[in-house]
Amino acid sequence: MELSRPMTISTTSPREGLETNYKEHKQTGAGGLHRVLCMQGGDDDGSYAKNSEAPASAITLSKPLLLTAIQSLNLKLFSRIEEEKDCCIRIADLGCATGYNTLATIDMVVECLRKQHIHECGFEPEFEAFFSDLPSNDFNSLFRSLPAATTRHYYAAGVPGSFYGRLFPKRKLHVVVSLSALHWLSQIPDAVLDKRSAAWNKGRVWIDGAKKEVVEAYAKQSEEDLENFLRCRKEEIVHGGMLFMLMGGRPGFQQPENQLGDPDSSAKHPFATSMDQAWQDLLKMGLIDEETRDGFNIPAYMRSMEEVEVAIKRCGGFEIQKMEYHKIMEFSEEKHKEWIRDPVSYGRAKTNMVRATLRPIVEAHLGPNISEELFKCFEKQVSSDINLLHKTGYYGVIVACLIRMWE
């Protein structure tokens, strides 16, 4: 991971250091979030590679749908588009992050396409796999994890950049996947950080249960982002190609202010109550002021099935082959039982998961020293709430498979 500039607190006055950090955030949080938003790199206990069980569960759940969608593709069309001797099928993973999930997905997609192409077209094509994420992503860790070139069936390349803009030439890609990434927004809406706005999200770091104006600002940003994403993929994917999306979401009947569903899931979600309490603890300890707390918001939004469908139809050029909503248990039943017996272990595991997803943007706002205090406060909150531990939390996900139509 690489931030835009070093973010350290080196003065003897905590208040002066905090003011410097807040100014840095105003530059990166409002307009330059793409420079610091990434999953935590490396392979230690706080890395995304070691704390991505929930995305792994979602990917496992969507695997049958993904394989079925691949098997429905007309691979002879791809061979006709390019001369047989030059046939190369190009796959992109947008928002790839690091770790096992992205590599296992690409391996699965390539192997399915390889076998199907041999069966339908009589020869094995070459494959090119593009791993794409923001420039702040830990591509070094990702590529160190790649299987040796002699054992994999594809050529690999990294493509740094935001998937809310163009990343590839026109009609370049045959299969595009985006797994557990599209609920992250391109930016925090400006109004949410503006004291003069009705959408100022005072006293909170996210939107679950927030007032109407805050939710509307997030929803508008989400709508713009998804439409930008789809318009770019419409240009980049060949006719007959596939776009497969897996994102955090909610069912249609659930209003946007209720991002997480049932009360137990809302209480246990790392972006909600416990996170707000941890920021409040920093305030009580005198480590931050209210302005610093109110200047931080988590850039995530769980879309409804209807919101996704509207964006697809508005963009045009895609046919919805399949779209589903699923609920996934926060952790396995075995781990749930284990952590009820050991709340301290649960608090540590939950905090590592939060570090894996939020540490880069928290550090960009607070600096490394105070951000570590935030995570300690979060761990203490989670470990000490026995009632919370007995609740069962779920994540909602939307899975959508789209085919690029001829126009």
Side-chain angles (χ1 to χ4, degrees), residues 27-177:
Q27 294 175 12
T28 59
L33 187 63
H34 65 281
R35 297 192 297 181
V36 295
L37 177 61
C38 63
M39 301 298 100
Q40 182 64 31
D43 58 1
D44 60 17
D45 289 344
S47 67
Y48 183 75
K50 294 283 183 69
N51 293 277
S52 50
E53 181 178 333
S57 298
I59 293 169
T60 299
L61 180 70
S62 64
K63 179 179 177 179
L65 179 59
L66 175 56
L67 292 177
T68 299
I70 291 173
Q71 290 163 2
S72 71
L73 292 174
N74 182 357
L75 299 188
K76 290 183 179 180
L77 174 64
F78 298 163
S79 294
R80 287 200 301 269
I81 291 174
E82 304 180 35
E83 293 294 331
E84 180 175 319
K85 59 183 175 63
D86 297 323
C87 184
C88 179
I89 295 180
R90 301 177 185 89
I91 303 156
D93 183 349
L94 306 187
C96 63
T98 62
Y100 172 80
N101 290 342
T102 185
L103 298 179
T105 300
I106 291 297
D107 285 343
M108 178 183 70
V109 171
V110 168
E111 186 60 19
C112 183
L113 284 167
R114 189 179 73 89
K115 290 180 178 179
Q116 185 176 337
H117 200 281
I118 292 172
H119 175 72
E120 292 185 9
C121 305
F123 69 98
E124 180 175 346
E126 292 190 318
F127 290 93
E128 193 170 10
F130 299 101
F131 297 90
S132 180
D133 212 317
L134 294 172
S136 47
N137 185 57
D138 188 356
F139 284 101
N140 287 335
S141 291
L142 174 64
F143 291 134
R144 280 196 297 267
S145 303
L146 275 174
T150 55
T151 62
R152 51 185 161 88
H153 293 286
Y154 59 88
Y155 298 96
V159 181
S162 170
F163 56 37
Y164 292 123
R166 283 286 300 278
L167 294 166
F168 301 93
K170 289 185 177 181
R171 295 179 292 282
K172 173 78 170 179
L173 305 172
H174 300 89
V175 175
V176 175
V177 298

Side-chain angles (χ1 to χ4, degrees), residues 37 39 183-185 201 203-209 218 248 259-260 265-279 296-302 330 350 353-359 361-362 375 378 382 395:
L37 177 61
M39 301 298 100
H183 47 268
W184 294 103
L185 302 178
N201 199 22
R204 308 173 63 93
V205 298
W206 198 43
I207 61 168
D208 188 58
Y218 264 81
Q259 289 275 290
L260 302 172
S265 294
S266 183
K268 294 199 76 174
H269 198 281
F271 293 176
T273 307
S274 297
M275 181 57 69
D276 280 335
Q277 291 171 343
W279 281 84
F296 181 85
N297 280 260
I298 297 172
Y301 182 84
M302 309 302 165
E330 176 193 30
K350 189 88 168 181
M353 184 178 69
V354 172
R355 278 194 183 97
T357 54
L358 296 182
R359 182 177 177 179
I361 59 173
V362 171
F375 295 127
F378 180 86
V382 174
Y395 296 111

Side-chain angles (χ1 to χ4, degrees), residues 301-325:
Y301 182 84
M302 309 302 165
R303 300 177 180 91
S304 69
M305 294 273 284
E306 284 77 6
E307 286 171 327
V308 175
E309 184 175 3
V310 166
I312 294 169
K313 291 182 177 178
R314 189 173 293 163
C315 173
F318 288 104
E319 177 185 3
I320 300 175
Q321 188 178 64
K322 192 81 172 178
M323 187 158 65
E324 301 174 347
Y325 170 82

Side-chain angles (χ1 to χ4, degrees), residues 138-383:
D138 188 356
F139 284 101
N140 287 335
S141 291
L142 174 64
F143 291 134
R144 280 196 297 267
S145 303
L146 275 174
T150 55
T151 62
R152 51 185 161 88
H153 293 286
Y154 59 88
Y155 298 96
V159 181
S162 170
F163 56 37
Y164 292 123
R166 283 286 300 278
L167 294 166
F168 301 93
K170 289 185 177 181
R171 295 179 292 282
K172 173 78 170 179
L173 305 172
H174 300 89
V175 175
V176 175
V177 298
S178 180
L179 307 175
S180 297
L182 272 165
H183 47 268
W184 294 103
L185 302 178
S186 66
Q187 67 175 63
I188 300 296
D190 291 337
V192 172
L193 299 173
D194 186 352
K195 290 182 182 180
R196 300 162 298 179
S197 169
W200 184 35
N201 199 22
K202 180 176 174 56
R204 308 173 63 93
V205 298
W206 198 43
I207 61 168
D208 188 58
K211 59 184 180 179
K212 180 184 70 171
E213 291 85 357
V214 176
V215 177
E216 288 176 347
Y218 264 81
K220 182 180 179 182
Q221 184 66 55
S222 168
E223 178 184 351
E224 292 175 0
D225 283 349
L226 185 55
E227 289 184 13
N228 285 337
F229 175 87
L230 291 168
R231 278 196 294 268
C232 293
R233 306 298 81 79
K234 179 180 175 181
E235 295 290 323
E236 297 166 350
I237 298 175
V238 302
H239 294 117
M242 184 183 76
L243 170 60
F244 189 88
M245 303 181 294
L246 168 66
M247 70 188 85
R250 63 184 205 278
F253 61 83
Q254 202 167 289
Q255 295 302 308
E257 60 269 20
N258 180 8
Q259 289 275 290
L260 302 172
D262 62 277
D264 286 357
S265 294
S266 183
K268 294 199 76 174
H269 198 281
F271 293 176
T273 307
S274 297
M275 181 57 69
D276 280 335
Q277 291 171 343
W279 281 84
Q280 186 64 22
D281 287 344
L282 290 187
L283 190 61
K284 290 178 181 178
M285 294 161 64
L287 294 177
I288 64 172
D289 54 23
E290 289 191 5
E291 183 180 18
T292 303
R293 178 198 61 190
D294 296 338
F296 181 85
N297 280 260
I298 297 172
Y301 182 84
M302 309 302 165
R303 300 177 180 91
S304 69
M305 294 273 284
E306 284 77 6
E307 286 171 327
V308 175
E309 184 175 3
V310 166
I312 294 169
K313 291 182 177 178
R314 189 173 293 163
C315 173
F318 288 104
E319 177 185 3
I320 300 175
Q321 188 178 64
K322 192 81 172 178
M323 187 158 65
E324 301 174 347
Y325 170 82
H326 296 279
K327 287 175 64 177
I328 300 170
M329 189 178 292
E330 176 193 30
F331 293 110
S332 66
E333 292 185 6
E334 293 76 15
K335 283 192 174 182
H336 195 217
K337 292 176 182 177
E338 173 189 337
W339 285 330
I340 286 177
R341 296 190 297 268
D342 185 4
V344 173
S345 178
Y346 172 71
R348 189 181 307 118
K350 189 88 168 181
T351 304
N352 281 339
M353 184 178 69
V354 172
R355 278 194 183 97
T357 54
L358 296 182
R359 182 177 177 179
I361 59 173
V362 171
E363 282 197 355
H365 188 67
L366 295 177
N369 297 332
I370 297 182
S371 66
E372 189 55 33
E373 289 299 321
L374 174 72
F375 295 127
K376 288 178 181 178
C377 291
F378 180 86
E379 182 173 347
K380 182 178 179 181
Q381 289 281 353
V382 174
S383 299

